[in-house]
Amino acid sequence: MTKLCVTLTEQTPEAMLAAMRRLPAFVDMAEVRLDHIRKVRPCLSASDVERICQGKDRPIVVTNRPRREGGLNEGPEDARVESLRKAAALGAEYVDIELDSVGVLGEIRGGTQRIVSYHNFELTPPDLDNIHRNAVAVGADVVKVAVMARDIVDTLPIMALLRRHAASVPTIALSMGEEGLPTRLMGRKLGAFLVYACAEEGSEAAMGQVPCREMEHLYRFSQISAGTDIFGVVANPVAHSMSPVIHNAAFAEAGLDAVYLPFKVTEPRPFLEGYEPYDLKGLSVTIPHKEAMVPLMDEVDELTARVGALNTVVIRDGRRLGSNTDVAAALGVLESCAGRAGLLPLERCTVLLLGAGGAARAIAFGLSGRVAQMTIANRTLSRGRDLAAEVGASWCGLDEIANLRPDILVNTTSVGMYPRTDESPVPESMLRRGMVVFDAVYNPMETTLLQQAREAGCIAAAGLEWFIAQAAVQFETWTGLVAPRERMAQVVLERLSRK
Ligand code: ATR
């Protein structure tokens, strides 16, 4: 079973051992990067290696990476390789030796295994099989291939390498960089010998390493197996997406054998085609791919086709089904607010929708035909007019709204969003007791508009509610189960309050 190995980069043997003892019990192994110990530059002493090997509290990989392979060691090659020999003699379970230095290391005594490693910090070379073969040929006990992913499709040859070899030759294969993050979780599914993590945020030894607690508590690393279903969010950028937090918590709560990953995607088609053979079962889709995904589907529901944008993909029996849970979720939030305001049924309500971008489209199509009257106000008049024509609404400029008296006000413009949080898209005088005010902005959670609305006695709904609601409908679309909404809301609030 794939082990979790934390790379330690402390600068003294004592700090290295202390960091090892602080690692949680679910971390199977530690990689000791001798090249990070200060004394390596100029010279690491034998007693340093001895202290580490005698003080370790779990199996270790000893690595002393030279500058040319991305490490910090600038000393003579003989001394560098000698430190590995010493570690082996002192009982290190594994030593990591670069493919081009195996000859210098020669045979090692005792039960220590040799991880023969290849790194490329620039790109993913085309000849990974060849590299793997060469490492096997020089007697590797474990082969390691770590290469840079410049695009998510670069992770495909890494996963293919694991699929071909991991069952017969212990193999570590990973893509570095943000795009490569999925390989760190897929590694367990594909039977990699080990997967690296870092001890804490900020202590990454290689780009894209995930803190070990996040590996276990967010992604449930130890639960991933060959049969685990893969889900994820397709976005660019993806780093700050809350979707992995909310969906992994939902899968855990429901006891499903599934993991949800962040996919930083530039081209949706090769990504889809490449990942589908790895049990990809569902996707959340967000900026900038909501429109581009639609023609890649085998089927989309009627509303999604009309909106021209999707946020949810289900892959079932080899078919891609696209839908837009933003629409149903927005309707749900608005209906619940209108209920609290005593405004139901929605058919009696007038709506003022601010904005004409992607979020406005979802809401406009959701409400079209469901409310008494809708006005779309947008900064760029032509955009507002075009959307209004599509959904049968009225339109006007943002400077013409002050005298409107809608029952429901929805803001989808970015006015009030971080960092310009003191702005509001409407004059305060518009806000009346009993009105429903829904702000799609969710950074900050409580916008100026929402604060003013609550003070004026409006029923206010935050964009976060929409986010949670659309995620819940997504979960239900993928699994056919009732979404654990309370848990989903709880983890999002916890995560936001930590920031
Ligand atoms: P989203 O997918 O979140 O809706 P979008 O498609 O970029 O994002 O749409 C952003 C909306 O906010 C648009 O309606 C935009 O108005 P324009 O169509 O005139 O661009 C609106 N918006 C952005 N900044 C704004 C500002 N400073 N004042 C008013 N409206 C603004």
Side-chain angles (χ1 to χ4, degrees):
M1 196 45 96
T2 306
K3 298 170 191 60
L4 186 61
C5 178
V6 164
T7 305
L8 298 175
T9 54
E10 261 61 32
Q11 300 190 346
T12 65
E14 289 71 27
M16 204 74 96
L17 288 172
M20 197 184 305
R21 276 183 223 110
R22 284 196 302 271
L23 292 176
F26 58 74
V27 173
D28 305 296
M29 299 165 67
E31 180 189 33
V32 174
R33 286 286 299 265
L34 293 182
D35 53 306
H36 281 250
I37 293 185
R38 268 216 187 97
K39 289 180 191 158
V40 174
R41 308 161 259 152
C43 194
L44 179 85
S45 77
S47 63
D48 288 338
V49 182
E50 201 169 327
R51 231 171 298 156
I52 290 168
C53 290
Q54 282 167 358
K56 68 187 173 67
D57 67 354
R58 65 198 83 202
I60 56 172
V61 179
V62 175
T63 304
N64 195 349
R65 193 79 71 221
R67 197 50 98 175
R68 65 184 151 79
E69 292 254 347
L72 297 181
N73 188 306
E74 291 176 319
E77 181 76 348
D78 283 357
R80 186 179 77 81
V81 173
E82 181 54 33
S83 68
L84 299 181
R85 246 181 247 122
K86 173 96 184 153
L90 288 165
E93 284 76 4
Y94 303 90
V95 292
D96 179 319
I97 182 78
E98 301 71 25
L99 183 55
D100 54 5
S101 298
V102 178
V104 187
L105 179 66
E107 285 305 310
I108 46 176
R109 281 174 288 134
T112 304
Q113 301 212 332
R114 296 191 306 179
I115 300 178
V116 174
S117 61
Y118 168 84
H119 299 85
N120 190 323
F121 291 89
E122 292 295 314
L123 48 81
T124 302
D127 52 352
L128 295 183
D129 268 320
N130 207 20
I131 292 165
H132 193 274
R133 204 172 307 121
N134 290 343
V136 173
V138 295
D141 297 301
V142 180
V143 178
K144 174 184 174 187
V145 176
V147 293
M148 182 60 72
R150 292 180 170 178
D151 188 281
I152 192 139
V153 294
D154 290 341
T155 63
L156 298 172
I158 281 292
M159 296 199 298
L161 192 75
L162 283 172
R163 186 168 260 185
R164 270 198 296 280
H165 300 292
S168 51
V169 179
T171 300
I172 304 164
L174 60 98
S175 298
M176 293 183 280
E178 192 187 354
E179 286 82 354
L181 192 148
T183 61
R184 298 186 184 271
L185 285 310
M186 296 296 286
R188 171 116 179 164
K189 177 176 169 68
L190 296 170
F193 177 71
L194 64 77
V195 165
Y196 296 97
C198 57
E200 315 276 351
E201 204 162 324
S203 70
E204 297 84 355
M207 276 178 287
Q209 271 190 358
V210 177
C212 59
R213 289 176 181 80
E214 200 164 296
M215 289 290 275
E216 184 58 23
H217 299 142
L218 173 61
Y219 296 111
R220 293 187 295 155
F221 178 80
S222 62
Q223 312 280 307
I224 297 174
S225 68
T228 300
D229 286 338
I230 304 299
F231 292 82
V233 55
V234 172
N236 191 2
V238 74
H240 298 291
S241 172
M242 292 291 285
S243 294
V245 172
I246 197 167
H247 284 298
N248 280 310
F251 289 152
E253 184 79 4
L256 296 176
D257 185 7
V259 65
Y260 185 102
L261 306 176
F263 296 120
K264 185 175 176 189
V265 170
T266 48
E267 287 280 339
R269 185 190 291 277
F271 161 75
L272 272 177
E273 288 170 358
Y275 269 76
E276 276 166 350
Y278 294 96
D279 295 330
L280 185 68
K281 295 292 164 66
L283 294 167
S284 311
V285 179
T286 185
I287 295 167
H289 298 304
K290 287 183 169 188
E291 288 89 16
M293 274 280 193
V294 175
L296 304 181
M297 297 296 110
D298 294 303
E299 199 181 315
V300 292
D301 60 43
E302 196 223 316
L303 188 58
T304 304
R306 272 199 289 143
V307 176
L310 59 75
N311 76 332
T312 307
V313 177
V314 186
I315 297 158
R316 200 171 285 148
D317 305 325
R319 286 173 61 76
R320 301 173 191 151
L321 316 175
S323 60
N324 194 324
T325 69
D326 279 339
V327 179
L331 263 183
V333 171
L334 284 174
E335 255 174 350
S336 124
C337 290
R340 273 186 280 149
L343 291 172
L344 288 178
L346 276 183
E347 282 70 11
R348 289 212 311 250
C349 295
T350 56
V351 177
L352 172 59
L353 175 58
L354 308 178
R361 268 187 93 74
I363 291 177
F365 278 93
L367 291 180
S368 169
R370 297 280 321 266
V371 291
Q373 196 270 333
M374 175 159 50
T375 301
I376 295 173
N378 195 46
R379 180 179 60 180
T380 308
L381 288 181
S382 56
R383 232 178 147 195
R385 186 188 58 210
D386 292 350
L387 178 58
E390 279 189 80
V391 298
S394 320
W395 59 278
C396 66
L398 286 173
D399 51 356
E400 298 171 85
I401 58 176
N403 295 323
L404 299 180
R405 296 177 69 79
D407 300 314
I408 299 175
L409 170 70
V410 181
N411 174 46
T412 69
T413 74
S414 40
V415 179
M417 194 184 284
Y418 180 84
R420 293 164 71 180
T421 53
D422 54 350
E423 295 179 4
S424 165
V426 301
E428 203 170 348
S429 57
M430 269 188 80
L431 305 169
R432 289 170 293 107
R433 177 166 296 282
M435 188 174 165
V436 169
V437 176
F438 174 29
D439 196 345
V441 171
Y442 64 86
N443 181 14
M445 264 191 277
E446 187 73 0
T447 58
T448 297
L449 171 61
L450 288 180
Q451 273 166 22
Q452 292 178 349
R454 284 186 222 282
E455 278 160 23
C458 304
I459 303 293
L464 200 61
E465 277 185 52
W466 188 17
F467 174 72
I468 293 164
Q470 64 78 31
V473 183
Q474 262 176 357
F475 177 93
E476 289 168 359
T477 309
W478 294 326
T479 65
L481 304 173
V482 175
R485 284 180 190 240
E486 270 178 33
R487 176 73 188 136
M488 293 169 88
Q490 184 194 8
V491 288
V492 170
L493 290 173
E494 272 170 20
R495 180 57 74 112
L496 287 175
S497 64
R498 257 201 272 154
K499 281 195 176 157

